[in-house]
Amino acid sequence: MLHNQTNVKEGQMSIVLENLSITKDKISAVLKRRWLACYMLYDWNYRHAEHTFATNEMERFQKAIETLNRDPCAASELNQKLTKAYNRVLMEDVNSFIRQHMKVWSADRTVVELELARAEAELLQC
């Protein structure tokens, strides 16, 4: 559901969460796989990873929408910008996971990325 806001320039929209969906693209799929791989470095159970990803999905949607509400856009740009905002939020989640792994393991990013690559390779075999 979209509505005009009085402090938004003419032709631009502010977003309300209700009845709004985000179109995910190939980048979204790659980021989701990386997120799942990050999770599986803690708990090597794909079902747990999928469940946790789904549980946190609404929070990611809300963050993406908040991003667009700070920078309103024309209705014609909404779908593309919303997808881009969602991907950015998901990338931030992945980076947070990576930083946490680096801290817990006392390792640099290269070590974590190698373990992520191993986990992603396992995911691709599923």
Side-chain angles (χ1 to χ4, degrees):
M1 175 179 203
L2 301 176
H3 66 83
N4 287 322
Q5 253 186 4
T6 56
N7 62 345
V8 179
K9 294 179 185 175
E10 187 176 327
Q12 295 181 332
M13 306 298 274
S14 179
I15 304 162
V16 176
L17 184 58
E18 298 173 24
N19 301 322
L20 186 66
S21 63
I22 295 176
T23 303
K24 297 176 187 174
D25 58 10
K26 291 178 182 178
I27 295 168
S28 309
V30 169
L31 291 172
K32 178 181 179 181
R33 190 173 61 241
R34 284 184 54 83
W35 190 99
L36 294 170
C38 284
Y39 182 93
M40 290 179 68
L41 293 178
Y42 285 120
D43 176 2
W44 200 260
N45 184 316
Y46 182 75
R47 287 186 179 157
H48 292 171
E50 275 283 336
H51 174 74
T52 303
F53 184 87
T55 299
N56 295 322
E57 191 71 336
M58 185 55 68
E59 184 179 334
R60 281 187 290 276
F61 282 8
Q62 288 172 335
K63 286 180 182 179
I65 289 166
E66 287 170 10
T67 298
L68 288 183
N69 278 334
R70 287 190 301 268
D71 184 24
C73 63
S76 62
E77 300 173 312
L78 180 61
N79 194 39
Q80 179 184 16
K81 287 201 173 201
L82 193 52
T83 299
K84 187 175 180 180
Y86 173 82
N87 286 344
R88 183 174 184 87
V89 169
L90 188 49
M91 184 67 224
E92 289 169 0
D93 281 355
V94 169
N95 277 329
S96 178
F97 250 140
I98 290 170
R99 285 191 304 273
Q100 185 64 26
H101 286 309
M102 289 169 61
K103 181 179 176 181
V104 169
W105 296 346
S106 299
D108 64 15
R109 188 170 184 121
T110 304
V111 170
V112 176
E113 289 288 351
L114 285 170
E115 289 302 310
L116 281 176
R118 182 180 64 80
E120 286 185 72
E122 290 286 329
L123 286 173
L124 290 173
Q125 291 178 359
C126 295

